[in-house]
Amino acid sequence: MGINVSRQAELAENAYLKKFVGKNHIPVTDDEFWNTFLQYHINLPSTSQEQLNLDARLESLCQQFVANNLSTGNLGSLVYVFLTKVTELLAISEEESSVHVWQTFNALFMIRSVVKYLIETSSEYQLMQHFEAISSQQVQQNKEDGVSIDLAATEQPAVTNVKNVDGTRFENFFDAVINLIAVVPVKEHTYHLHLEAINMIIVLLSVHLFSPQPTDRSTIYKTVYKSPYANTVMSVLLTYVSKMMPVPANMFGITSGSSFVVGIAESLWNILTFTRKPSDILETEDLPTAFREHYPLSNQSLLLILILINHNTTKKNAYRDSLFGCTSIDLSEDDPSNVTFRIDFAQLYATLCRIVTIDQATLLLYILLHRNQKFYKFVMSQSNLQQLVTPILHTLYNGPDSTSHHIYMSLIVLLILSEDDGFNKSIHDLQLKNVAWYTEKYLSEISLGGLLILVVIRTIQYNMLKTRDKYLHTNCLAALANMSGQFRFLHPYVSQRLVGLFETLAKKQHRLSEQLKPPTTANGGDTSINMANTEDLLQDLSVLEEVLRMVLEILNSCLAHQLVYCPNLVYTLLYKRHVFEAFRSHPAFQDIIQNIDMVVGFFSSRLQRVQEQRGELGVSEVLEVISKGASQWSSDRLRKFPDLKFKYVEEDAPEEFFIPYVWSLVSKSGCVHFSSESIKSVTSEISC
């Protein structure tokens, strides 16, 4: 307690901060003050606790600032100093810019701290008032220069010294932040400046969290979405994600041996320095934390991309169009006018393979696959698809440890991939060895396709037992159905699990059917409760029979198209033929059961003849008989059913799902943390 109190007291007593938040205007021409004020060191808070500590130390100062700034206009002065620093930074050489970068960063960080406090504690209109506020001295000077400004009611300076809130100064400020991102190249000494610029935009857009008004009435959102530099911004942000530049060991190139002179405020601000433990992102089990700590520029850029493209979806959204229209640097286009920007797809793909188990990376992958056909085709052409698909399967396998949204997006990614026949074929040619995380059975070698089937089946069974989410198992079955016509060389265990899925569901269907049978004796009871229970059971039975039908169609599709390549599946069907008996007379299943019976009957008769000649057969001998019989089998004997083809279609008003989801990721996985107590506009899923 003592150390916290002393630190907060020390911060509150700093002469330069007290002057900035005080009652007197600080002219932009006071170079001595601004140069000294902007000399401090701080490592950006990267956890919720670090942010809380910082917010606690700044709170009393922010309160004083809010009470005085509408009269002093000191935020406007700081913004002007920042704009000047940015202009100078764009004009000077790299060798001369380290001190300039440092001071520009500090000015932007100070503005962000003030803006964040105002967004969390007041309205957007009040924030704009503080941006546009000018001091009494400025008003008087303007009057002397012939500028007409009403100075009535001077006893209320918080009102009289505010210009018409037209957003002009804010627009200039936003343009300067965009220039930092888009024009200044990322070097070791500019890394944190770029990171701060991105964090600044995220904080500005967080007004959505703290205001009940629609974003189409927000000055901030109007300014952001009318920016003419959307293509440049999206290109730069996606490049930051793709390149995964690690955070430098030292900010602004400052080292302990440097002659860099630290200003008077260092003794104050060094209390805000937070230590981080080194960690190798490729070896840690906590990949989201490692990615955020070691690649914060990539992490924050990814989150900002998701924010920009998921808001304003019902109107013109240049950021969204830009991402959907980008292409690879090595792809020639017939019509360059349809290309918004070019980026290295190979590098982007490699990065997504490395981080795809992170929630926000899965979401970006989904958006690119679903909305950017050039990127989709690029991914489909890759020979190393196991590097992308295997981590996604790992996420699904650890489903109970992931959010439901992350599971959904992982499944939808698989569904989108399964729409391509080339993908469905190639995954059975890619062999994996010793998949350590799959612990239900040791598999020394299995195809990527086989592993995919196992994990999706496991997801279906978990869902039927635990969450009972129809939407989730529909996506699972749709992905399996799309792939079923290309099932090849299925591992014996995969074949067992496929038929075992039907067997498990069949047993559950039988139990539900028994529960729905009328009691043999009248036993009274509450009729309304019985009727309600019956309706629930009937609904459960209907859903279950839909799933059973789909599993049968998947088995039938494989037999119709790939029987010759799936002897292990035929073997399992022969061994488990009894599980289909109860469905031969069921009107919902009997048409498709006939096909399975025909296959089972054909191979049963061949096995019987061979057994009569040789006696009892072993497993290898049975498989040999099946393989020889398959060469003589004709799928023309089977009843024809439509090919199973499902295509993912985004539901109406997708922003109702994606906007809260994205902001939950920003709060959970970002480097900027918000006051959860003040959040008004999104659901309780947002947690900081």
Side-chain angles (χ1 to χ4, degrees):
M1 177 178 174
I3 189 168
N4 287 335
V5 171
S6 64
R7 284 183 171 184
Q8 291 180 33
E10 187 178 356
L11 189 62
E13 292 304 314
N14 178 265
Y16 291 89
L17 281 172
K18 287 175 68 176
K19 186 174 181 180
F20 175 71
V21 304
K23 297 181 178 181
N24 296 318
H25 169 64
I26 305 171
V28 296
T29 55
D30 190 346
D31 292 339
E32 180 181 354
F33 172 84
W34 293 113
N35 286 333
T36 307
F37 179 62
L38 296 178
Q39 291 187 53
Y40 59 84
H41 288 301
I42 181 170
N43 283 346
L44 298 177
S46 63
T47 68
S48 179
Q49 188 57 51
E50 290 174 1
Q51 185 71 60
L52 286 172
N53 291 341
L54 176 60
D55 290 347
R57 294 166 192 159
L58 292 176
E59 184 172 9
S60 63
L61 292 165
C62 286
Q63 289 172 347
Q64 293 177 54
F65 165 83
V66 170
N68 297 321
N69 180 70
L70 293 179
S71 175
T72 65
N74 284 340
L75 176 59
S77 295
L78 178 58
V79 168
Y80 184 88
V81 170
F82 168 74
L83 296 177
T84 303
K85 296 286 184 185
V86 172
T87 302
E88 294 171 353
L89 184 62
L90 296 174
I92 61 181
S93 67
E94 180 179 331
E95 291 74 16
E96 300 170 328
S97 65
S98 289
V99 173
H100 219 91
V101 169
W102 180 38
Q103 292 189 337
T104 306
F105 166 88
N106 285 345
L108 187 55
F109 178 81
M110 182 65 69
I111 295 169
R112 173 162 74 93
S113 298
V114 170
V115 168
K116 180 175 178 293
Y117 178 81
L118 285 166
I119 285 176
E120 292 181 347
T121 59
S122 59
S123 69
E124 181 183 351
Y125 181 77
Q126 289 171 312
L127 169 63
M128 289 301 153
Q129 281 188 312
H130 281 280
F131 251 98
E132 303 296 335
I134 56 178
S135 71
S136 301
Q137 294 98 311
Q138 289 175 296
V139 173
Q140 186 60 40
Q141 183 63 50
N142 286 336
K143 185 177 181 181
E144 293 172 0
D145 293 341
V147 179
S148 178
I149 295 179
D150 184 10
L151 284 178
T154 54
E155 70 276 9
Q156 295 179 328
V159 175
T160 60
N161 297 333
V162 179
K163 298 193 305 177
N164 181 34
V165 183
D166 59 2
T168 302
R169 181 180 286 164
F170 174 74
E171 288 186 11
N172 293 335
F173 169 74
F174 180 75
D175 285 346
V177 174
I178 291 297
N179 270 310
L180 287 179
I181 296 172
V183 179
V184 178
V186 180
K187 305 287 185 180
E188 183 171 298
H189 70 289
T190 66
Y191 186 101
H192 285 87
L193 179 59
H194 285 85
L195 177 59
E196 185 57 29
I198 291 169
N199 285 342
M200 182 75 248
I201 298 177
I202 291 175
V203 167
L204 288 170
L205 292 170
S206 74
V207 71
H208 163 76
L209 299 178
F210 301 94
S211 172
Q213 78 170 358
T215 55
D216 59 4
R217 295 173 56 189
S218 162
T219 300
I220 292 174
Y221 273 76
K222 288 177 182 177
T223 302
V224 170
Y225 282 96
K226 75 177 182 182
S227 172
Y229 309 113
N231 286 345
T232 302
V233 170
M234 293 304 289
S235 174
V236 170
L237 293 177
L238 199 58
T239 299
Y240 291 168
V241 174
S242 182
K243 288 188 174 181
M244 274 185 68
M245 295 164 280
V247 62
N250 302 291
M251 295 175 70
F252 320 116
I254 303 171
T255 63
S256 58
S258 173
S259 59
F260 206 82
V261 178
V262 179
I264 192 170
E266 180 190 11
S267 60
L268 163 69
W269 285 98
N270 63 12
I271 67 172
L272 300 177
T273 299
F274 302 98
T275 59
R276 295 178 176 82
K277 296 181 180 179
S279 174
D280 187 346
I281 191 172
L282 298 178
E283 296 179 359
T284 181
E285 292 184 1
D286 188 0
L287 186 59
T289 299
F291 181 60
R292 182 183 70 232
E293 291 185 352
H294 294 275
Y295 302 96
L297 186 59
S298 297
N299 186 66
Q300 296 304 98
S301 297
L302 200 167
L303 292 171
L304 181 54
I305 288 172
L306 296 177
I307 296 170
L308 289 172
I309 65 174
N310 282 293
H311 278 282
N312 213 49
T313 55
T314 59
K315 299 182 179 180
K316 176 69 175 176
N317 184 329
Y319 301 100
R320 189 175 175 87
D321 295 341
S322 179
L323 184 67
F324 297 169
C326 73
T327 191
S328 185
I329 55 175
D330 55 359
L331 292 179
S332 59
E333 297 293 333
D334 295 332
D335 186 3
S337 64
N338 291 331
V339 176
T340 53
F341 64 87
R342 294 181 180 275
I343 192 171
D344 188 345
F345 274 1
Q347 186 179 58
L348 177 60
Y349 173 78
T351 295
L352 289 174
C353 287
R354 293 179 66 189
I355 63 171
V356 72
T357 55
I358 300 175
D359 214 324
Q360 58 266 34
T362 305
L363 183 52
L364 177 62
L365 174 64
Y366 154 75
I367 291 167
L368 288 169
L369 290 174
H370 181 47
R371 294 291 192 170
N372 189 314
Q373 279 300 305
K374 302 178 186 72
F375 185 76
Y376 181 79
K377 291 177 181 177
F378 176 86
V379 171
M380 291 300 99
S381 69
Q382 300 306 298
S383 59
N384 61 344
L385 282 168
Q386 71 277 10
Q387 293 184 11
L388 180 69
V389 176
T390 305
I392 295 174
L393 297 180
H394 194 184
T395 297
L396 290 173
Y397 188 82
N398 293 329
D401 300 326
S402 303
T403 65
S404 60
H405 285 8
H406 196 188
I407 296 301
Y408 280 137
M409 300 320 303
S410 299
L411 280 172
I412 292 171
V413 165
L414 293 182
L415 175 56
I416 293 172
L417 294 175
S418 74
E419 294 171 12
D420 183 84
D421 286 338
F423 170 83
N424 297 332
K425 183 177 180 180
S426 65
I427 57 176
H428 293 287
D429 297 327
L430 294 168
Q431 296 296 313
L432 308 175
K433 296 183 181 296
N434 302 321
V435 183
W437 50 262
Y438 190 89
T439 58
E440 293 183 22
K441 183 177 178 65
Y442 173 70
L443 301 169
S444 60
E445 186 172 6
I446 189 172
S447 69
L448 177 62
L451 182 64
L452 194 158
I453 295 168
L454 288 177
V455 172
V456 173
I457 287 174
R458 184 178 185 270
T459 304
I460 293 171
Q461 292 181 321
Y462 177 82
N463 179 57
M464 295 297 290
L465 290 172
K466 301 291 184 180
T467 60
R468 301 172 68 185
D469 188 324
K470 182 179 179 180
Y471 182 73
L472 188 144
H473 72 241
T474 298
N475 283 319
C476 288
L477 291 167
L480 287 180
N482 283 346
M483 295 183 287
S484 61
Q486 298 288 345
F487 285 172
R488 297 162 67 90
F489 312 116
L490 296 181
H491 190 283
Y493 182 63
V494 176
S495 300
Q496 293 165 21
R497 295 288 285 173
L498 263 174
V499 179
L501 173 62
F502 182 84
E503 184 177 20
T504 300
L505 297 172
K507 290 178 179 177
K508 187 170 184 178
Q509 188 266 356
H510 176 72
R511 289 195 299 270
L512 285 177
S513 298
E514 289 297 312
Q515 287 178 285
L516 284 166
K517 287 182 178 179
T520 55
T521 59
N523 54 7
D526 190 330
T527 305
S528 62
I529 294 177
N530 291 338
M531 288 180 64
N533 185 51
T534 298
E535 288 178 4
D536 290 341
L537 290 174
L538 284 171
Q539 185 175 358
D540 289 347
L541 182 62
S542 175
V543 171
L544 188 57
E545 289 184 347
E546 288 180 22
V547 175
L548 279 165
R549 173 76 188 191
M550 181 67 81
V551 174
L552 285 174
E553 289 178 348
I554 289 167
L555 292 171
N556 178 72
S557 175
C558 178
L559 296 175
H561 295 94
Q562 302 292 339
L563 184 146
V564 68
Y565 299 110
C566 295
N568 287 315
L569 179 59
V570 174
Y571 180 95
T572 305
L573 289 171
L574 288 168
Y575 185 72
K576 290 283 190 178
R577 70 183 80 178
H578 62 278
V579 305
F580 302 99
E581 290 176 358
F583 298 91
R584 288 193 177 98
S585 59
H586 196 297
F589 307 108
Q590 59 186 178
D591 57 342
I592 205 162
I593 288 288
Q594 289 174 3
N595 277 359
I596 294 175
D597 275 346
M598 192 173 295
V599 172
V600 170
F602 174 82
F603 286 98
S604 293
S605 61
R606 293 185 67 88
L607 283 169
Q608 187 173 358
R609 288 198 300 270
V610 174
Q611 283 179 327
E612 289 172 355
Q613 296 171 3
R614 302 186 196 174
E616 196 68 29
L617 301 177
V619 174
S620 60
E621 293 170 310
V622 171
L623 288 171
E624 181 185 354
V625 172
I626 292 172
S627 296
K628 288 182 179 180
S631 64
Q632 301 172 13
W633 167 263
S634 173
S635 61
D636 292 339
R637 307 179 186 191
L638 300 178
R639 178 174 176 175
K640 302 301 181 185
F641 289 89
D643 287 343
L644 298 178
K645 284 295 176 186
F646 294 88
K647 186 174 180 63
Y648 170 73
V649 178
E650 206 166 68
E651 293 191 359
D652 294 336
E655 65 277 1
E656 294 178 5
F657 171 85
F658 286 110
I659 290 177
Y661 180 25
V662 166
W663 281 107
S664 72
L665 295 178
V666 173
S667 297
K668 180 182 71 173
S669 306
C671 303
V672 180
H673 302 271
F674 301 101
S675 171
S676 57
E677 292 82 5
S678 304
I679 291 175
K680 299 175 182 177
S681 66
V682 291
T683 67
S684 58
E685 292 180 44
I686 302 290
S687 59
C688 304

